[in-house]
Amino acid sequence: MAAFSCSAATATQKVNSLHKELWEKVTATLEMWCQGKNQIPKIQSENLAVISLSVGIAAAFLSTLSPNSVVSSECKLETPCSKALKEFSADTNLGDEKAVGPLLERAAAYFCLGGRMQETIQDLAEAFAAAPAQAMKHFEERFSAHDTERIEEQARTVLEAKFAAYREAVRARTELRGNHGTELLASVIQTVQFLLQISPGSKRELSVRLADCHLLRGHIRAALDICDHLLAAEEKTYYNTLLALRGFCSLHAHDHQQALQDFQKVIEHDSPHPNSCIKALCGRGLIRISGGNHYLATLDYITACQLKLEETIFTIKSYVPWNQRGLLLKVLQEEGQKMLQKKRDAPGIYQLASLLVELDASDEASGLLCADALYQMGCVEAAHKLLSLALSRTPQSSPVLARLALLQLKKGFIYDGNQLLKKVIRMGDTSCLLPIMDIFKDEDRKLMQTHCHFRALTILKSKQGDADIKEAIAYLSFAIIAAGGYAEDCLLIRAGCYGRLGQKKTAIFDFNAILKEDPRNVQALSGRGFIYLALKQQKEAVQDLISALKAEAGVVIPAILSLKREAQGLITQWLLQHGRTMLTELVATKDLSRETLRDLLMIAKALIKICKDSQYHIFYTDVLIASGYTHAIRPEAEVAIAHPFPARGPQVAAQEGNTLMKGHHYEKALGYYTLAALTSRDNPRYLRRRAACLTHLKKYDRALKDMEKVIQKHGCNSLKTRVEDHCAKGRLLLAAAEEEAAVKQYIEALQLDQSIALCSIMNGPGREILTRTFHKVAQHNFEMQRYEEAWKITDYGLKIDKNTELKKLKTRLKREASSCSIH
């Protein structure tokens, strides 16, 4: 060929002189170069300049060697056509009717060359777009019926390739509201319109395709006209497809009623086309969202995903108006979350979440919904992998960290779970747990609650700095959220932490949360009372502390005594003022109701336990007088009451009590014994008598409290007195059905002096009854494998009476617990 470019005649002569096989090889190579199937190599020579070889030279050489070669003829024809078309495009455009001829000629050249399908169809489509009638005339002149069939087949192949390129461009979109790829539809529409010209037998099918492309490109009016025309025809093929397309045309035109009718017909059809059904479900879902019915809309999209996920993604990205896709995404996310919180259709939500991730991979909420659905489906490992991947993209995402923490705790990786929770705490976003808790299972929530509660307690035991208290508060907040918003123990501790940090109103908020559920909660009442005390809110503080004292004074009084002296003084002064005011009003109105007097008595008792000042004892005496305990007191006793601590006051009150006891007037006697105990500063002698009186009244709890005080003051009492006090307390415990505690008291008495104790036991309850109790308690300890305790009780029981059952138990203890060290 290089030789031909230098001297055509010499080169032709040389080649024609070759053997037939070699000549055919040369012409075949030239044909390949002309058709563009092989690239023409470059030639360099030391004796010649660089020769630029082209398809034109190849065609000329081939034509000289083989004048009848079709390939060379077409190749030579293509070049002038292309040049002519370039001139047209420079002056005007290819839509000009003058371009139709050259376009058809070049298309014919491409067609004859073979392997130039894209170029052939492109030129034909442009020619028909420029002037359909003129193009058709040229086409029929240039192509046979057989050629037309081949061209139609090629055009359909090109059409599918172009539409596939459009779908791929849609699939690859990263921007949810973007319309990238729509520009590719112009060429697709042109190809469909060309096919409509040369394939009249496929007119309905191609018209449906044209309507679809117009709709996708945003030419709503053109698409709607085609749909209306085809649906009005007698032929009913592509019925569902056309209804679905018309539905979206109406939706774009804001005619929701017509759109819903069309979508409904597709969905209710006996044998709906899957892709049409997906479009109808997506369209109906969109209309339902605009009508506020988000739940049913979500069900539509879940159904569409279950039919065909890829087609649903394509439908949303291409048919749904761009300015409605953002709202659609958020609605589906929120409704999916709600459905998971109600433990509904986790597999369906997983498919929906997969769709949402495809629509916008950058939206974290969709990924979290996907992970939550996997968790509910029991696919914990898959959920963990998904969350780990999300964390690698956004390491500071507290919702991801919180979920991962819970999964790590569930898997038993306590340290890893706690490290993740610490990260969330450092970010200060404890509320990120709120939307998760209804999704996770009860046992996993309980696991989170227990862990966070334990961590808070551990921190508070070892550290007391402000930073440590804040960390403990964060853990307690996690525990409260995990418990569903209410966890009494955690709220109490957190309120105390807020109090320490000086956040008093926040502490009150936590106490209020407890009292809303349990209005008589003693710790919350007293805690809130102390906060009101710090805020100098006297009325509120007194009200809370009185309510707490009424509920359980035994808990509140030690709490008050643990406060600083200044705070104690303020509380007692406020309580005294309140009590005096109440008492004055009662006396003035003579409305001495039993409940009010009981409250006053409770306040008075609390005051003398908190502080021993005479003013509180005087108030107590005044309350007792108002309560009617002094109606039978003799004149000398009235004098005694008038002074806080008279010399003969306790004796007089006790003697009166003794007289009333002999007459079985126990209630009245109790008042005098109380006065005696009060004015003698809880002398054991009067406490014993009051305990005896309370026993007759079957008020065993109060009697036991008196005996506990007596035993606490045993320092200078005789041995006999001490033994009898333990026995008396033992009898009370038996009466109160506290058998184990009773046995301990009798053992104490026996250890002090066996003979005195046995004498006391004979007076009550008796040896036989008591040894039965000893056997019962010992048997219980034996069953609980507390062998040493069982042995001790059995041993002392046998000192009271040689009970047969106790002997048998002792034998069993020797045999069963032979490995234990028993003394």
Side-chain angles (χ1 to χ4, degrees):
M1 203 167 113
F4 179 80
S5 66
C6 296
S7 173
T10 305
T12 304
Q13 183 187 353
K14 292 285 186 184
V15 174
N16 283 333
S17 67
L18 293 173
H19 187 273
K20 184 182 179 184
E21 287 183 8
L22 287 174
W23 184 89
E24 287 176 351
K25 283 186 178 180
V26 171
T27 55
T29 302
L30 288 169
E31 284 181 353
M32 296 283 280
W33 288 347
C34 286
Q35 290 173 325
K37 292 181 179 177
N38 279 342
Q39 190 173 356
I40 303 171
K42 291 181 180 179
I43 268 199
Q44 288 187 350
S45 171
E46 292 180 3
N47 302 320
L48 297 170
V50 176
I51 297 168
S52 179
L53 304 178
S54 66
V55 174
I57 295 171
F61 192 13
L62 180 60
S63 176
T64 307
L65 292 172
S66 179
N68 297 322
S69 172
V70 176
V71 173
S72 64
S73 302
E74 297 296 350
C75 192
K76 286 192 289 183
L77 175 65
E78 180 193 347
T79 306
C81 290
S82 296
K83 286 180 181 176
L85 288 167
K86 281 181 183 176
E87 290 173 9
F88 275 115
S89 62
D91 295 337
T92 170
N93 58 63
L94 293 179
D96 197 300
E97 286 185 17
K98 294 176 183 177
V100 170
L103 281 168
L104 261 297
E105 291 299 328
R106 188 170 69 177
Y110 284 140
F111 181 71
C112 291
L113 285 169
R116 309 290 287 272
M117 182 170 61
Q118 289 274 4
E119 293 91 333
T120 304
I121 303 306
Q122 185 65 35
D123 280 353
L124 289 171
E126 287 182 4
F128 274 83
Q134 187 182 341
M136 194 67 197
K137 181 182 175 184
H138 281 282
F139 183 83
E140 288 171 347
E141 289 172 356
R142 191 73 184 84
F143 297 101
S144 67
H146 177 68
D147 291 340
T148 304
E149 286 179 15
R150 283 181 57 203
I151 288 170
E152 182 184 350
E153 185 182 336
Q154 289 179 358
R156 285 184 179 274
T157 304
V158 169
L159 175 64
E160 294 307 326
K162 287 181 177 180
F163 197 76
Y166 164 70
R167 284 185 70 105
E168 178 57 27
V170 171
R171 190 198 65 77
R173 284 179 195 159
T174 53
E175 172 55 47
L176 174 65
R177 297 168 186 81
N179 275 334
H180 172 68
T182 310
E183 67 281 357
L184 300 174
L185 288 167
S187 180
V188 177
I189 290 170
Q190 202 175 62
T191 306
V192 175
Q193 287 171 331
F194 163 64
L195 276 166
L196 274 165
Q197 295 291 327
I198 67 167
S199 310
S202 303
K203 187 174 181 182
R204 188 172 176 84
E205 172 222 333
L206 290 166
S207 297
V208 173
R209 194 70 179 269
L210 185 60
D212 189 19
C213 292
H214 277 315
L215 171 60
L216 291 170
R217 201 179 181 200
H219 300 162
I220 308 303
R221 187 70 255 171
L224 188 58
D225 287 345
I226 296 170
C227 290
D228 283 339
H229 174 72
L230 293 175
L231 284 166
E234 290 183 11
E235 190 179 346
K236 294 302 177 186
T237 55
Y238 301 101
Y239 180 71
N240 283 323
T241 304
L242 286 165
L243 282 174
L245 292 176
R246 189 172 71 176
F248 266 107
C249 289
S250 300
L251 195 147
H252 278 268
H254 308 292
D255 186 353
H256 286 188
Q257 187 175 356
Q258 178 61 53
L260 188 58
Q261 285 177 9
D262 285 346
F263 291 141
Q264 204 68 30
K265 284 177 186 176
V266 175
I267 295 164
E268 293 173 358
H269 198 273
D270 293 337
S271 54
H273 180 249
N275 287 1
S276 301
C277 201
I278 287 166
K279 289 184 182 71
L281 285 164
C282 291
R284 186 176 72 176
L286 210 58
I287 292 168
R288 282 174 163 174
I289 286 173
S290 67
N293 201 333
H294 295 177
Y295 173 68
L296 288 180
T298 305
L299 291 184
D300 277 343
Y301 279 93
I302 290 173
T303 308
C305 290
Q306 289 169 338
L307 283 172
K308 234 180 193 179
L309 182 60
E310 286 299 322
E311 194 61 33
T312 308
I313 294 167
F314 177 71
T315 299
I316 294 171
K317 283 188 168 186
S318 52
Y319 291 92
V320 171
W322 69 270
N323 57 353
Q324 294 182 38
R325 293 175 203 155
L327 173 65
L328 173 63
L329 183 80
K330 290 302 171 192
V331 167
L332 294 180
Q333 282 175 351
E334 289 170 6
E335 285 302 312
Q337 188 85 1
K338 288 177 187 176
M339 288 173 74
L340 283 183
Q341 286 170 345
K342 294 173 183 175
K343 309 294 190 291
R344 289 180 183 169
D345 191 16
I349 300 300
Y350 173 66
Q351 285 198 297
L352 181 72
S354 301
L355 164 78
L356 298 178
V357 169
E358 285 294 326
L359 292 178
D360 189 354
S362 65
D363 195 313
E364 185 182 83
S366 299
L368 293 176
L369 186 64
C370 210
D372 289 347
L374 282 169
Y375 163 82
Q376 280 200 358
M377 290 161 66
C379 306
V380 175
E381 284 302 325
H384 190 275
K385 284 179 184 176
L386 198 62
L387 290 167
S388 299
L389 182 64
L391 193 65
S392 68
R393 292 195 294 262
T394 51
Q396 301 301 312
S397 171
S398 51
V400 175
L401 286 165
R403 284 168 168 83
L404 272 173
L406 191 139
L407 290 183
Q408 291 287 45
L409 293 176
K410 180 180 176 67
K411 290 161 69 177
F413 301 141
I414 306 301
Y415 176 79
D416 294 337
N418 194 57
Q419 290 302 110
L420 291 165
L421 284 174
K422 276 189 171 183
K423 284 185 181 180
V424 178
I425 289 168
R426 281 198 291 271
M427 285 186 276
D429 184 18
T430 52
S431 63
C432 67
L433 270 184
L434 283 169
I436 312 173
M437 283 303 109
D438 287 335
I439 288 166
F440 284 102
K441 296 172 184 174
D442 290 344
E443 62 266 27
D444 295 337
R445 290 172 56 177
K446 186 65 180 175
L447 186 66
M448 173 73 89
Q449 181 187 348
T450 304
H451 172 78
C452 292
H453 186 196
F454 173 77
R455 284 299 309 155
L457 291 176
T458 305
I459 292 165
L460 292 172
K461 281 178 184 175
S462 57
K463 303 169 186 176
Q464 293 294 321
D466 283 3
D468 305 310
I469 293 172
K470 286 175 183 176
E471 186 180 3
I473 285 172
Y475 275 111
L476 291 165
S477 299
F478 281 147
I480 292 162
I481 293 168
Y486 182 78
E488 181 186 303
D489 47 357
C490 295
L491 282 165
L492 281 170
I493 299 166
R494 190 173 74 172
C497 290
Y498 282 132
R500 287 191 223 171
L501 292 174
Q503 297 177 26
K504 297 179 179 64
K505 290 186 178 178
T506 313
I508 288 173
F509 182 84
D510 276 355
F511 286 130
N512 287 345
I514 298 168
L515 293 167
K516 185 180 178 182
E517 297 292 325
D518 179 12
R520 290 177 55 81
N521 188 290
V522 176
Q523 290 176 296
L525 284 167
S526 56
R528 190 173 70 177
F530 294 154
I531 295 292
Y532 283 135
L533 175 73
L535 291 168
K536 298 294 190 288
Q537 292 179 226
Q538 182 174 347
K539 181 183 176 183
E540 292 82 357
V542 168
Q543 186 176 341
D544 276 352
L545 290 171
I546 288 174
S547 298
L549 286 164
K550 283 168 70 176
E552 200 170 347
V555 172
V556 182
I557 291 170
I560 294 172
L561 291 170
S562 69
L563 299 174
K564 291 179 180 178
R565 190 172 295 278
E566 183 184 349
Q568 289 182 42
L570 196 56
I571 288 172
T572 50
Q573 282 301 310
W574 284 358
L575 287 174
L576 183 62
Q577 285 174 26
H578 180 77
R580 283 284 180 205
T581 303
M582 279 179 68
L583 189 59
T584 303
E585 288 175 359
L586 284 174
V587 172
T589 58
K590 295 183 180 179
D591 180 20
L592 303 177
S593 68
R594 184 175 293 275
E595 186 179 349
T596 310
L597 285 168
R598 191 162 50 242
D599 288 352
L600 278 168
L601 192 59
M602 176 273 300
I603 294 169
K605 285 180 179 178
L607 284 170
I608 62 172
K609 287 178 182 177
I610 297 166
C611 185
K612 302 297 181 184
D613 286 1
S614 61
Q615 59 179 328
Y616 304 118
H617 287 275
I618 292 168
F619 174 62
Y620 186 21
T621 305
D622 289 345
V623 174
L624 288 172
I625 292 168
S627 300
Y629 287 144
T630 58
H631 70 283
I633 297 181
R634 294 170 186 159
E636 59 266 33
E638 291 175 5
V639 174
I641 292 168
H643 301 281
F645 308 106
R648 291 179 59 250
Q651 295 174 14
V652 171
Q655 286 170 6
E656 192 64 33
N658 292 341
T659 303
L660 290 166
M661 275 279 282
K662 287 175 185 176
H664 306 293
H665 302 298
Y666 303 120
E667 281 283 0
K668 291 179 180 178
L670 181 62
Y672 284 96
Y673 286 138
T674 299
L675 280 174
L678 172 67
T679 53
S680 67
R681 295 181 180 271
D682 285 346
N683 187 302
R685 183 191 313 166
Y686 306 124
L687 289 174
R688 288 188 191 96
R689 292 180 187 178
R690 187 168 71 177
C693 182
L694 286 165
T695 304
H696 281 289
L697 292 168
K698 296 185 179 180
K699 296 180 180 180
Y700 301 121
D701 287 348
R702 290 176 62 187
L704 279 166
K705 286 178 182 176
D706 279 353
M707 288 310 300
E708 282 168 12
K709 289 180 184 176
V710 169
I711 290 168
Q712 284 169 8
K713 297 184 177 185
H714 265 177
C716 56
N717 288 113
S718 67
L719 179 63
K720 184 175 183 294
T721 302
R722 281 183 282 154
V723 172
E724 288 176 346
D725 283 343
H726 280 295
C727 288
K729 188 177 178 184
R731 283 195 297 276
L732 279 169
L733 287 165
L734 281 177
E738 295 184 31
E739 294 172 331
E740 195 159 349
V743 165
K744 286 181 181 177
Q745 289 301 314
Y746 281 110
I747 289 173
E748 288 267 0
L750 289 163
Q751 286 173 336
L752 286 170
D753 190 290
Q754 188 172 321
S755 59
I756 297 171
L758 289 172
C759 287
S760 182
I761 289 165
M762 288 290 288
N763 293 331
R767 293 191 179 195
E768 186 178 344
I769 293 171
L770 192 56
T771 49
R772 282 204 300 270
T773 304
F774 265 71
H775 175 263
K776 182 179 176 182
V777 175
Q779 181 71 30
H780 174 70
N781 278 277
F782 174 73
E783 289 167 0
M784 298 299 290
Q785 296 183 352
R786 295 196 289 262
Y787 298 126
E788 289 190 24
E789 190 65 24
W791 178 272
K792 180 180 176 182
I793 295 167
T794 305
D795 195 38
Y796 277 100
L798 288 168
K799 288 177 182 178
I800 298 169
D801 188 57
K802 302 300 180 184
N803 180 282
T804 307
E805 294 299 322
L806 279 172
K807 286 179 182 178
K808 287 179 184 178
L809 182 58
K810 192 167 188 179
T811 304
R812 284 184 68 192
L813 274 165
K814 285 179 181 177
R815 183 174 64 252
E816 297 286 338
S818 57
S819 62
C820 298
S821 175
I822 298 177
H823 303 287

